[in-house]
Amino acid sequence: MNYRLLTASLLLATSQVTSAAEALDPRITAVLGDISATRIEQRIRSLVAFGTRHTLSETASDTRGIGAARRWIQRELQDCSKAAGGRLMVEMDAYIEPAGNRMPRAVELVNVVATLPGTSPASKERILVVSGHYDSRNSDVMDGQGDAPGANDDASGVAAVMEMACAFARHPFDATLVFMAVPGEEQGLLGATHWAKEARRKGLKIEGMVTNDIIGSSTGDKGQRDNKQVRLFADGLDPLLRLLVQARTNIPATEAETQANEAMRENLQQLVLAGGSEDLPTHQLGRHLKAAGERYLPGFKVNLIQRRDRYLRGGDHLPFLERGYAAVRMSEPFENFNYQHQNVRTENGVTYGDLPEFVDFAYVADVARINAAGLGSLALAPASPQNVRLDATELTNDSTLSWTANTEPELAGYRVVWRSTDAATWQHSQDVGLITKIRLPVSKDNVVFGVQAVSKRGHASLASYPLPQRR
Ligand SMILES: [Zn+2]
């Protein structure tokens, strides 16, 4: 029984697996090559030169405050778009944020959003988002007047996103890429929350979101240095818990949102009950970003941390996570708290403040490249296979996986990946060709499986976790 499938799998096991997967795509290497530490330095210094970019700072001046900063970001991105043929669409997503917790009054906030539409009809609905926050703060989170240079937090992330937008704009990618500079992070993730909410309302298919926040320094507070490592916070269990809480506390939502929440909750619940609590879409995104980043930047380590952020701290990926999207955070390996959320000053010979002199611009460029490798390869990959099932109706030590066929014309076939239950990343893979069912001589009880769709140029989708087959 199923001998044909097993034979097919064993024949394929040794043939087409590794070469296609490990080939570097020239479009992505071109993007990585275009990312410039010098330009990143210039942009960080330009952002710092606005004095403060506090969300409550003034907006009329052309030289100081958050208004001048956002108009400058917009102009820079528009210039890049023009230079690259005009495909990058730059929009000001303005809205009124009402008075609230860290908002003494209602203020107009503006997300600067640059969209590079996907060029493949089969993939352009899939969206990949990358962000940094352009607001800054000093010791007093409510101080909209005093200097708040925010070189690392988070001009580093904004400069990386701008550099990526400008580099990607010169090349066609199958899926849609969205590059975002958002305000209000320090006042409560406000700009990102607004955009994520709207995305959910419009039913946008965001496949992955990466926020770059504090990616500027390779040196820690004890002088330790590691410029070949970035932390990637990736945990997706949070939305399930929140949705369960939301259902109980009955937070008002539109009918469509309620339905979407319901479907998402059911889906996540099934996944967790089937042992997939470490295989939610956010975990798969984290695995992909690590694998792609380390493949394109040999010697650089993406330190995958399975937690949504640092203890009691947050970032702009959270509003996406909480709306059911796969979302992760990149951050430098160490943090020096003398240089974060501090008034610029010297005390007992110690310098405080988030100044450009503490930023390692070459390191920021490498983190941007890690982002670009992961986002670029996903933007060229097919969608994740749907309806992946593991047949558990018969007692056997083999595993039979099935899925629905993808529709992309660029599809080459599927790849089954697996790992030990105590491993964080995929350890084995097998390309199985253009089939939708396979029996493997590996026990489903001992490993964790995933199924990826692979393009003709070797780009693999995020893995889909198999739910148990129901009869
Ligand atoms: Zn920040």
Side-chain angles (χ1 to χ4, degrees), residues 36-203:
S36 147
T38 309
R39 243 182 339 251
I40 284 175
E41 173 172 1
Q42 287 163 356
R43 290 210 173 102
I44 290 175
R45 290 189 186 280
S46 297
L47 285 162
V48 168
F50 292 108
T52 175
R53 306 183 306 280
H54 193 279
T55 299
L56 302 168
S57 62
E58 70 164 294
T59 54
S61 163
D62 278 331
T63 54
R64 186 177 175 88
I66 194 165
R70 70 192 176 215
R71 291 189 293 276
W72 174 81
I73 297 169
Q74 177 191 28
R75 281 196 306 275
E76 289 280 302
L77 291 171
Q78 282 169 339
D79 288 350
C80 283
S81 181
K82 214 177 285 171
R87 288 184 46 244
L88 186 71
M89 304 183 314
V90 184
E91 287 162 315
M92 299 298 258
D93 169 35
Y95 74 101
I96 304 294
E97 179 70 40
N101 192 20
R102 289 181 171 184
M103 294 291 285
R105 59 180 192 276
V107 174
E108 181 183 56
L109 300 197
V110 185
N111 294 315
V112 189
V113 184
T115 304
L116 188 68
T119 52
S120 155
S123 302
K124 66 180 185 193
E125 302 291 309
R126 285 171 40 228
I127 300 172
L128 297 154
V129 180
V130 59
S131 83
H133 70 85
Y134 68 90
D135 63 312
S136 64
R137 61 166 286 188
N138 56 31
S139 303
D140 174 4
V141 69
M142 303 304 281
D143 179 6
Q145 313 289 321
D147 279 353
N152 190 353
D153 187 9
D154 183 32
S156 67
V158 173
V161 167
M162 292 171 77
E163 194 62 12
M164 278 188 262
C166 298
F168 272 99
R170 301 194 189 102
H171 306 274
F173 280 82
D174 293 354
T176 294
L177 288 147
V178 174
F179 306 90
M180 228 180 339
V182 301
E185 197 273 348
E186 306 291 5
Q187 311 310 114
L189 317 177
L190 303 178
T193 300
H194 172 77
W195 203 88
K197 237 186 224 172
E198 283 297 297
R200 227 1 243 294
R201 196 180 57 74
K202 295 176 196 159

Side-chain angles (χ1 to χ4, degrees), residues 355-368:
L355 298 165
E357 62 212 71
F358 307 125
V359 174
D360 177 345
F361 306 105
Y363 175 75
V364 179
D366 272 344
V367 176

Side-chain angles (χ1 to χ4, degrees), residues 133 135 152-154 185-186 212-214 310 313-316 329 340-341:
H133 70 85
D135 63 312
N152 190 353
D153 187 9
D154 183 32
E185 197 273 348
E186 306 291 5
N212 286 274
D213 197 350
I214 312 179
R310 303 145 304 157
R313 303 183 69 197
D316 287 325
R329 175 198 186 118
Q340 261 182 46
H341 302 185

